Short mmCIF file of all heavy atoms in Angstrom, two decimals:
data_model
loop_
_atom_site.label_atom_id
_atom_site.label_comp_id
_atom_site.label_asym_id
_atom_site.label_seq_id
_atom_site.Cartn_x
_atom_site.Cartn_y
_atom_site.Cartn_z
N ALA P 141 113.18 86.25 102.28
CA ALA P 141 112.67 85.09 101.56
C ALA P 141 113.16 83.78 102.16
O ALA P 141 112.54 82.74 101.99
CB ALA P 141 113.08 85.17 100.08
N ASP P 142 114.30 83.82 102.86
CA ASP P 142 114.84 82.61 103.47
C ASP P 142 114.29 82.35 104.87
O ASP P 142 114.73 81.41 105.54
CB ASP P 142 116.37 82.69 103.54
CG ASP P 142 117.02 82.69 102.16
OD1 ASP P 142 116.51 81.91 101.32
OD2 ASP P 142 117.97 83.42 101.92
N LYS P 143 113.35 83.15 105.30
CA LYS P 143 112.73 82.98 106.61
C LYS P 143 112.21 81.55 106.75
O LYS P 143 111.55 81.01 105.84
CB LYS P 143 111.59 83.97 106.77
CG LYS P 143 110.89 83.93 108.12
CD LYS P 143 109.78 84.98 108.16
CE LYS P 143 110.34 86.37 108.05
NZ LYS P 143 109.27 87.42 108.07
N GLN P 144 112.50 80.91 107.86
CA GLN P 144 112.08 79.52 108.10
C GLN P 144 110.73 79.48 108.81
O GLN P 144 110.52 80.19 109.81
CB GLN P 144 113.12 78.78 108.93
CG GLN P 144 114.48 78.66 108.24
CD GLN P 144 114.38 77.84 106.95
OE1 GLN P 144 114.05 76.65 106.99
NE2 GLN P 144 114.68 78.47 105.82
N VAL P 145 109.82 78.70 108.29
CA VAL P 145 108.47 78.59 108.83
C VAL P 145 108.25 77.18 109.33
O VAL P 145 108.36 76.22 108.57
CB VAL P 145 107.42 78.93 107.74
CG1 VAL P 145 106.02 78.86 108.33
CG2 VAL P 145 107.69 80.27 107.11
N THR P 146 107.98 77.04 110.63
CA THR P 146 107.67 75.73 111.23
C THR P 146 106.19 75.67 111.50
O THR P 146 105.62 76.54 112.16
CB THR P 146 108.44 75.51 112.51
OG1 THR P 146 109.86 75.66 112.25
CG2 THR P 146 108.19 74.11 113.08
N ILE P 147 105.52 74.65 110.97
CA ILE P 147 104.07 74.55 111.02
C ILE P 147 103.66 73.46 112.02
O ILE P 147 104.25 72.37 112.07
CB ILE P 147 103.51 74.25 109.62
CG1 ILE P 147 103.85 75.41 108.67
CG2 ILE P 147 102.01 74.02 109.66
CD1 ILE P 147 103.52 75.14 107.22
N PHE P 148 102.66 73.80 112.81
CA PHE P 148 102.18 72.87 113.85
C PHE P 148 100.67 72.66 113.74
O PHE P 148 99.95 73.50 113.22
CB PHE P 148 102.42 73.45 115.25
CG PHE P 148 103.86 73.72 115.58
CD1 PHE P 148 104.46 74.91 115.21
CD2 PHE P 148 104.62 72.80 116.31
CE1 PHE P 148 105.81 75.17 115.51
CE2 PHE P 148 105.95 73.05 116.62
CZ PHE P 148 106.54 74.25 116.22
N VAL P 149 100.22 71.50 114.22
CA VAL P 149 98.84 71.28 114.60
C VAL P 149 98.86 70.98 116.10
O VAL P 149 99.45 69.98 116.53
CB VAL P 149 98.17 70.13 113.84
CG1 VAL P 149 96.84 69.76 114.47
CG2 VAL P 149 97.95 70.51 112.38
N LYS P 150 98.36 71.92 116.88
CA LYS P 150 98.49 71.89 118.34
C LYS P 150 99.97 71.89 118.68
O LYS P 150 100.67 72.81 118.36
CB LYS P 150 97.74 70.70 118.93
CG LYS P 150 97.34 70.89 120.38
CD LYS P 150 96.43 69.80 120.88
CE LYS P 150 96.00 70.07 122.31
NZ LYS P 150 95.05 69.05 122.82
N GLN P 151 100.48 70.84 119.37
CA GLN P 151 101.90 70.80 119.68
C GLN P 151 102.71 69.96 118.67
O GLN P 151 103.93 69.87 118.77
CB GLN P 151 102.15 70.22 121.08
CG GLN P 151 101.69 71.08 122.23
CD GLN P 151 100.26 70.76 122.65
OE1 GLN P 151 99.69 69.75 122.26
NE2 GLN P 151 99.65 71.65 123.40
N ARG P 152 102.03 69.37 117.71
CA ARG P 152 102.71 68.47 116.79
C ARG P 152 103.39 69.22 115.65
O ARG P 152 102.75 69.99 114.91
CB ARG P 152 101.70 67.48 116.21
CG ARG P 152 102.30 66.45 115.23
CD ARG P 152 101.35 65.26 115.09
NE ARG P 152 100.03 65.65 114.67
CZ ARG P 152 99.60 65.65 113.41
NH1 ARG P 152 100.40 65.29 112.45
NH2 ARG P 152 98.36 66.01 113.14
N ASN P 153 104.69 69.05 115.51
CA ASN P 153 105.49 69.70 114.51
C ASN P 153 105.31 68.99 113.17
O ASN P 153 105.68 67.82 113.03
CB ASN P 153 106.95 69.71 114.93
CG ASN P 153 107.84 70.50 113.97
OD1 ASN P 153 107.57 70.61 112.82
ND2 ASN P 153 108.94 71.02 114.51
N LEU P 154 104.73 69.67 112.18
CA LEU P 154 104.49 69.06 110.87
C LEU P 154 105.67 69.23 109.92
O LEU P 154 105.74 68.56 108.89
CB LEU P 154 103.22 69.65 110.24
CG LEU P 154 101.94 69.51 111.03
CD1 LEU P 154 100.78 70.13 110.28
CD2 LEU P 154 101.66 68.04 111.33
N GLY P 155 106.56 70.13 110.24
CA GLY P 155 107.71 70.34 109.38
C GLY P 155 108.09 71.80 109.25
O GLY P 155 107.33 72.70 109.60
N THR P 156 109.32 72.02 108.75
CA THR P 156 109.83 73.39 108.55
C THR P 156 110.20 73.57 107.10
O THR P 156 110.80 72.67 106.47
CB THR P 156 111.08 73.60 109.42
OG1 THR P 156 110.73 73.47 110.80
CG2 THR P 156 111.65 75.02 109.21
N THR P 157 109.86 74.71 106.55
CA THR P 157 110.21 75.05 105.17
C THR P 157 110.48 76.54 105.10
O THR P 157 110.18 77.29 106.03
CB THR P 157 109.09 74.65 104.19
OG1 THR P 157 109.54 74.85 102.84
CG2 THR P 157 107.83 75.49 104.43
N SER P 158 111.04 77.00 103.99
CA SER P 158 111.35 78.42 103.85
C SER P 158 110.17 79.15 103.22
O SER P 158 109.34 78.55 102.53
CB SER P 158 112.59 78.63 102.98
OG SER P 158 112.33 78.24 101.64
N LEU P 159 110.12 80.46 103.47
CA LEU P 159 109.05 81.27 102.88
C LEU P 159 109.11 81.24 101.35
O LEU P 159 108.07 81.17 100.68
CB LEU P 159 109.14 82.71 103.37
CG LEU P 159 108.05 83.66 102.91
CD1 LEU P 159 106.67 83.18 103.35
CD2 LEU P 159 108.32 85.08 103.44
N LYS P 160 110.32 81.23 100.79
CA LYS P 160 110.41 81.22 99.33
C LYS P 160 109.90 79.90 98.73
O LYS P 160 109.33 79.87 97.63
CB LYS P 160 111.86 81.49 98.89
CG LYS P 160 112.87 80.42 99.22
CD LYS P 160 114.27 80.85 98.75
CE LYS P 160 115.31 79.81 99.14
NZ LYS P 160 116.67 80.24 98.73
N ASP P 161 110.08 78.78 99.46
CA ASP P 161 109.54 77.51 98.98
C ASP P 161 108.02 77.48 99.07
O ASP P 161 107.34 76.89 98.23
CB ASP P 161 110.14 76.35 99.79
CG ASP P 161 111.58 76.07 99.41
OD1 ASP P 161 112.01 76.51 98.32
OD2 ASP P 161 112.30 75.44 100.20
N ILE P 162 107.48 78.11 100.13
CA ILE P 162 106.02 78.21 100.25
C ILE P 162 105.46 79.02 99.10
O ILE P 162 104.46 78.65 98.47
CB ILE P 162 105.66 78.88 101.59
CG1 ILE P 162 105.90 77.90 102.75
CG2 ILE P 162 104.20 79.36 101.61
CD1 ILE P 162 105.65 78.48 104.12
N VAL P 163 106.11 80.14 98.78
CA VAL P 163 105.67 81.02 97.67
C VAL P 163 105.77 80.28 96.35
O VAL P 163 104.86 80.35 95.50
CB VAL P 163 106.49 82.31 97.66
CG1 VAL P 163 106.28 83.06 96.36
CG2 VAL P 163 106.10 83.18 98.84
N ALA P 164 106.84 79.53 96.14
CA ALA P 164 106.99 78.77 94.87
C ALA P 164 105.88 77.75 94.73
O ALA P 164 105.30 77.57 93.64
CB ALA P 164 108.36 78.07 94.85
#
Side-chain angles (χ1 to χ4, degrees):
D142 293 321
K143 182 180 296 180
Q144 297 297 297
V145 182
T146 304
I147 298 172
F148 300 84
V149 168
K150 204 172 183 178
Q151 291 92 14
R152 181 161 55 96
N153 186 331
L154 301 181
T156 299
T157 187
S158 67
L159 183 60
K160 66 181 178 183
D161 286 342
I162 288 176
V163 167

